[in-house]
Amino acid sequence: MERFYKQFKNCIQKEVPFCQASCPFHLEVVDFIEKAGRGAFSAAYKTYRNAVTFPAIVAALCPEPCKTHCIRAEEAYGGNAIELRGLERAIIEQAKNKDPIYYNVPRKNRKIAIIGAGISGLGCAFRLASKKYDVEVFEASGRMGGHLWEIADRSPAVGGLTPEIFLEEFELQLKQEQIPIHFHTKISSLEELAERGYEAIYVATGAGGNDFGLLDSDAPYFIKDNVAYFAGGSLTGKDTIEALADGINIAAAIEIYLKTGNLSAPDDRRTTNVQVDPCKLEYRTGLPLDEAGKVKPENIAEEANRCLRCQCDSCKIYCDLVAYTQKWPLRIKDEVQATMHEGKVELKPQPAKRLINICTHCGLCKEVCPAQIDLDSMFLQARKELHKLNRMPWAFHDFWLRDMDFADGEAALVKTPPGVKKSKFAFFPGCQLGASEPRYVADTYSWLLSKEPTMGLFLKCCGTPVKWAGDEEKHAEAISKFHTDWEELGKPKLVVACPSCMDNISEFLPDIEIISLYEFMEKNGIVPAMKGDRETWSIFDPCASAGKDDLRKSIRNLAESANFQLEPLPVQENHSACCSYGGHVSVANPKYADFIIDRRITESENPYITYCINCRDAFLGAGKKTIHILDVIFGDGCVDGHASLPTVTERRENRIALKEQLLKNIWGEEMAKREPQIKIDLKIDPELKAKLNREWILEEEVADVIEFCERTGRKVILEERGTFSGYRQVGRMTYWVEYRKNGESFELVNAYSHRMKIELEAVWDGKKVDTDM
């Protein structure tokens, strides 16, 4: 797993927006904007004050470096940068609670001296005092504010700043802290302060002030005799806003020194590697400010919403798992790492067991990530590791593994055509196409035989379910058997209907040549039977079609040759996400599967044409008008909704019926008589059948439980309901049933399953008796 964890070092999730990087205070712009946009003005003010210390002064004087880096400033995206300063001024006016927060923490017996009561010195003093350090300020003049007085004396005052404004601001922000300011106190020697017990000294004497020799060194900070010395602000040539930011940053550096004894450069990072997803870059112009340079109150929300929230969030935009869980990749990695860490299960948390099993393995995460972080492969490897450790929740994949065994067992059919010993081609429809729509397979194979008389039939599963379950040993067995069957057919080129099967065969059986069914059809001149009308449709490309440009082109050519009017899907056209079938996530988290389906079907109001049977079934089940490309080719598509879809029980019956039909019609053979799967006369109403289907319960399983209860007498009479209740473990799953007996027939009232194994001990004539016969 380590190789997957290492990729996260390149994650740029925490890279800040361009405006925040250019801001001397590193204001958390996204947080500020979101609070302002929803009308939380006092909360937005708090975010702003926490960054800049003196909001009224900064909002008046800030030269707005953020504007020069704002994407909205580009003509293509609006031509007007976000009016961040205008929003800040509006928030200061609208906020009802501006009182600073008093932190009731013990005072620290660590002394700091600050020389200069200008804006830089006061900013540094306030930050340290709020952390309860013992701070004193020494000012040579008789007033605080430094060069702010010069700015205020200009006519007109810059930004409308007046002495009343900045003095009131100092009083407001400093009122909770005890900061002695010694006016008319000129410091002549830093050693004098050091001898008085000050452990850190900040020289902020302003432009042209005494630097006490600190600017003579390579960096304006150093340690001497266990005292840290710093110089900054206007003394080092910075403007007013930069000077204040310098003081704030130096306060942080002083605190680090006092805590660790280490001296670090004040944080002045002005770069970012953030990347903005192109889908966010729509055109939006700004609104005019009022005469005071503020965003008008009625325009605050609109201006805030114009902000792109520049951050690397492609994963949240496109990856269903990240969007659903609201967990960023770095947190996902931490949870997976905690789950996979060696140790006794009873003694450590395993927060990501379900998370690991809800990845659809569409591969979209790596495709859209600027750092190409591959969550897909990490989750798949985690499933493999959990399986090896015997910690994989078996119930998440049990149904699908049994379904695969059925497809490769009773329902399997691997044959060359009559009279053909070796096939040049063989049709591989996959295991789900015939389960959902047997006619698709039968009609397609008949047409293929008309074009290629040696066309064999390879009716099995490709092995993907066991791959998704993480069982490498069983997957290897499935792949080996697949290869053997292929060799017995004469090593044909496979004509594959399912894009996921194409991926699995290409990855694990590279010596098998394959071609998409739909490319084969187009090349052989098939004429679609269905004709489009005036309705506009959209092609829904399944996730496994990514990178298969020839396949996607063939699908569009076939649809257009049938006169269908096509409109590309805005997202799926270029970023093919899963329909919810991938990874078999619907058992691990049904609500998540519904979330995925809803995202797909709401992308467009157009009906869909797809070429994955699982996509078609998922969308039809949710009421989305959807047809399969084989409906277009052979006609009679199902487009009316979920009522036409087979249940999990009917899907098995469909496979057997398909095999029986093909053996009779193509080979003239009768299928061996099959034992009835339901051995009792069982009645299940349609609503209950739908419930069984949603919960992945086969009707034959509940019939087996009822038959067992009747045979053994292990049942409970529910007299008030006139029903019987009982259970039985079938395979690894325990099934409970409630039923009525009407003569020789039975009526199912309810059924459910769970993973718990119920152990009973019965004794008969002094001997233990098996309770599950």
Side-chain angles (χ1 to χ4, degrees):
M1 294 295 297
E2 286 301 320
R3 65 188 177 95
F4 294 107
Y5 301 148
K6 288 179 180 178
Q7 65 181 334
F8 288 89
K9 68 181 181 180
N10 299 319
C11 179
I12 57 177
Q13 168 201 324
K14 294 184 178 180
E15 290 290 323
V16 300
F18 302 108
C19 52
Q20 184 172 336
S22 63
C23 174
F25 305 99
H26 304 308
L27 169 66
E28 293 184 10
V29 175
V30 172
D31 182 55
F32 172 80
I33 285 283
E34 287 181 350
K35 289 172 179 174
R38 68 171 189 264
F41 301 138
S42 294
Y45 177 84
K46 180 181 176 182
T47 295
Y48 185 49
R49 180 184 59 208
N50 288 346
V52 305
T53 303
F54 301 121
I57 299 172
V58 175
L61 302 180
C62 182
E64 302 179 280
C66 54
K67 274 192 170 182
T68 62
H69 296 85
C70 180
I71 293 178
R72 282 275 183 233
E74 298 180 26
E75 286 297 328
Y77 308 124
N80 304 105
I82 299 298
E83 292 289 351
L84 193 55
R85 188 177 68 182
L87 283 169
E88 292 161 359
R89 290 176 175 178
I91 292 303
I92 292 171
E93 182 181 80
Q94 297 296 318
K96 294 181 179 179
N97 182 8
K98 300 179 185 177
D99 286 339
I101 298 172
Y102 177 76
Y103 296 98
N104 187 19
V105 296
R107 300 198 67 81
K108 300 178 178 69
N109 189 26
R110 311 295 293 274
K111 296 179 65 176
I112 300 120
I114 296 175
I115 306 175
I119 195 166
S120 186
L122 290 176
C124 182
F126 172 78
R127 283 301 175 92
L128 291 168
S130 66
K131 302 288 185 68
K132 300 304 179 274
Y133 288 98
D134 187 358
V135 183
E136 291 186 65
V137 179
F138 301 90
E139 169 58 42
S141 73
R143 60 187 184 183
M144 67 174 70
H147 71 273
L148 292 180
W149 291 90
E150 299 174 14
I151 294 173
D153 286 343
R154 298 173 191 168
S155 182
V158 178
L161 186 71
T162 65
E164 291 76 19
I165 289 176
F166 69 74
L167 290 176
E168 286 177 8
E169 182 71 358
F170 289 150
E171 182 180 0
L172 172 64
Q173 304 303 336
L174 302 177
K175 70 178 183 179
Q176 298 280 20
E177 308 302 337
Q178 300 176 13
I179 306 175
I181 301 179
H182 306 283
F183 293 110
H184 304 293
T185 304
K186 188 173 183 179
I187 301 299
S188 57
S189 169
L190 298 183
E191 286 74 14
E192 171 191 340
L193 293 176
E195 290 172 0
R196 288 162 57 181
Y198 294 100
E199 298 178 67
I201 300 170
Y202 176 37
V203 178
T205 52
N210 187 356
D211 65 6
F212 299 93
L214 279 123
L215 300 186
D216 294 338
S217 57
D218 293 335
Y221 50 88
F222 59 82
I223 300 173
K224 181 180 179 183
D225 297 331
N226 295 321
V227 178
Y229 298 89
F230 298 83
S234 301
L235 176 66
T236 56
K238 295 181 171 65
D239 64 25
T240 306
I241 296 302
E242 296 278 357
L244 173 56
D246 211 23
I248 294 169
N249 291 334
I250 286 172
I254 289 173
E255 186 173 25
I256 291 172
Y257 167 72
L258 294 176
K259 286 181 175 180
T260 68
N262 297 322
L263 195 61
S264 59
D267 181 19
D268 194 30
R269 182 171 66 98
R270 300 294 175 89
T271 60
T272 181
N273 294 316
V274 71
Q275 295 192 35
V276 181
D277 194 88
C279 78
K280 298 169 71 172
L281 301 179
E282 83 285 1
Y283 182 89
R284 287 186 68 179
T285 58
L287 297 169
L289 302 177
D290 66 11
E291 293 180 356
K294 298 191 300 291
V295 173
K296 297 174 183 177
E298 64 271 21
N299 294 338
I300 290 175
E302 185 173 346
E303 183 64 13
N305 291 331
R306 202 166 64 89
C307 175
L308 293 170
R309 274 77 164 168
C310 296
Q311 58 184 145
C312 185
D313 56 1
S314 294
C315 50
K316 270 199 172 181
I317 294 171
Y318 299 106
C319 175
D320 294 319
L321 186 147
V322 176
Y324 178 79
T325 62
Q326 289 297 299
K327 294 177 180 179
W328 290 96
L330 290 174
R331 180 179 171 185
I332 289 172
K333 172 253 186 183
D334 289 343
E335 290 189 8
V336 170
Q337 198 166 13
T339 300
M340 303 307 300
H341 192 272
E342 293 184 5
K344 289 187 177 181
V345 173
E346 298 83 1
L347 302 179
K348 71 180 193 66
Q350 299 182 84
K353 268 193 173 181
R354 191 177 300 273
L355 182 70
I356 287 168
N357 283 280
I358 64 170
C359 175
T360 59
H361 300 296
C362 65
L364 193 54
C365 52
K366 183 178 180 181
E367 176 188 324
V368 301
C369 177
Q372 293 192 303
I373 292 173
D374 188 358
L375 293 174
D376 181 335
S377 297
M378 180 184 72
F379 283 129
L380 186 59
Q381 184 62 32
R383 292 185 188 187
K384 294 176 184 178
E385 296 293 332
L386 284 176
H387 191 275
K388 289 177 185 176
L389 296 169
N390 200 28
R391 283 163 37 193
M392 170 67 93
W394 60 266
F396 292 164
H397 299 277
D398 179 68
F399 174 86
W400 300 106
L401 295 180
R402 289 187 288 116
D403 189 63
M404 174 180 159
D405 288 341
F406 183 82
D408 284 348
E410 286 187 75
L413 184 59
V414 182
K415 290 176 76 72
T416 58
V420 176
K421 291 185 178 181
K422 285 188 176 183
S423 291
K424 295 180 181 178
F425 290 87
F427 176 40
F428 186 80
C431 61
Q432 298 302 320
L433 190 64
S436 182
E437 289 285 359
R439 63 187 176 88
Y440 286 167
V441 177
D443 291 349
T444 300
Y445 188 50
S446 294
W447 180 84
L448 288 171
L449 278 173
S450 72
K451 297 298 178 182
E452 173 52 60
T454 72
M455 183 73 66
L457 181 63
F458 204 145
L459 199 58
K460 289 189 70 173
C461 180
C462 69
T464 295
V466 74
K467 168 190 169 183
W468 285 339
D471 189 341
E472 292 181 279
E473 183 178 346
K474 189 170 181 179
H475 183 250
E477 292 174 4
I479 291 299
S480 176
K481 183 63 171 68
F482 190 105
H483 195 271
T484 299
D485 289 339
W486 170 72
E487 289 180 321
E488 290 177 357
L489 281 174
K491 299 183 179 181
K493 183 175 185 177
L494 296 186
V495 180
V496 186
C498 172
S500 292
C501 294
M502 293 179 70
D503 283 345
N504 198 56
I505 296 169
S506 297
E507 181 178 0
F508 297 101
L509 296 160
D511 57 328
I512 298 181
E513 190 178 359
I514 62 174
I515 182 174
S516 160
L517 167 65
Y518 311 107
E519 292 175 67
F520 187 93
M521 285 179 156
E522 186 193 13
K523 289 177 181 178
N524 284 273
I526 196 165
V527 178
M530 184 184 287
K531 296 299 178 183
D533 51 22
R534 294 181 179 180
E535 190 171 17
T536 299
W537 295 68
S538 291
I539 300 290
F540 183 90
D541 296 295
C543 56
S545 71
K548 299 179 178 65
D549 294 340
D550 291 341
L551 165 60
R552 294 161 77 112
K553 184 177 180 181
S554 291
I555 295 295
R556 285 155 177 78
N557 290 344
L558 289 168
E560 288 172 350
S561 70
N563 297 324
F564 278 83
Q565 298 180 42
L566 302 179
E567 180 178 81
L569 289 172
V571 178
Q572 195 73 10
E573 184 79 10
N574 297 311
H575 301 294
S576 299
C578 185
C579 66
S580 80
Y581 181 83
H584 293 150
V585 304
S586 51
V587 176
N589 194 329
K591 290 183 178 179
Y592 173 55
D594 291 342
F595 170 83
I596 295 173
I597 293 169
D598 186 65
R599 290 188 95 189
R600 299 295 91 81
I601 65 177
T602 56
E603 188 174 333
S604 172
E605 294 182 356
N606 296 340
Y608 290 170
I609 300 172
T610 188
Y611 43 105
C612 166
I613 193 63
N614 302 309
C615 295
R616 190 211 71 159
D617 289 356
F619 302 157
L620 274 181
K624 177 74 172 181
K625 186 175 180 180
T626 308
I627 61 175
H628 195 282
I629 191 66
L630 292 175
D631 291 317
V632 176
I633 291 169
F634 296 115
D636 300 325
C638 168
V639 297
D640 295 327
H642 62 276
S644 301
L645 296 177
T647 65
V648 291
T649 297
E650 291 166 344
R651 293 176 76 87
R652 287 200 172 191
E653 294 170 352
N654 284 346
R655 287 186 178 124
I656 295 300
L658 173 63
K659 180 178 178 179
E660 187 174 22
Q661 176 189 351
L662 290 169
L663 282 172
K664 184 176 181 180
N665 294 346
I666 304 298
W667 286 273
E669 299 177 9
E670 292 293 331
M671 185 173 167
K673 190 172 182 180
R674 187 170 178 254
E675 286 290 323
Q677 301 304 296
I678 299 179
K679 300 175 183 178
I680 60 175
D681 182 9
L682 179 61
K683 294 179 174 58
I684 308 174
D685 69 45
E687 187 175 336
L688 190 50
K689 281 192 175 189
K691 176 181 182 290
L692 297 179
N693 183 60
R694 288 194 304 271
E695 297 181 6
W696 310 98
I697 298 175
L698 297 171
E699 292 170 27
E700 65 190 62
E701 291 166 339
V702 296
D704 181 59
V705 179
I706 293 173
E707 189 276 332
F708 171 81
C709 292
E710 290 295 304
R711 175 166 51 84
T712 64
R714 196 179 74 185
K715 58 185 178 180
V716 176
I717 301 174
L718 305 176
E719 292 184 0
E720 71 282 3
R721 294 171 59 85
T723 60
F724 296 99
S725 178
Y727 74 91
R728 188 186 190 192
Q729 184 173 331
V730 181
R732 303 177 74 178
M733 193 74 73
T734 298
Y735 296 88
W736 286 83
V737 296
E738 182 183 353
Y739 62 95
R740 291 188 182 93
K741 187 174 182 181
N742 301 312
E744 295 300 316
S745 66
F746 300 88
E747 176 192 353
L748 186 67
V749 175
N750 198 6
Y752 66 93
S753 64
H754 59 66
R755 290 176 284 172
M756 291 186 292
K757 180 178 181 180
I758 301 174
E759 294 187 355
L760 299 176
E761 185 176 289
V763 178
W764 181 262
D765 196 21
K767 297 181 180 179
K768 290 183 180 179
V769 179
D770 184 8
T771 60
D772 193 10
M773 296 172 285

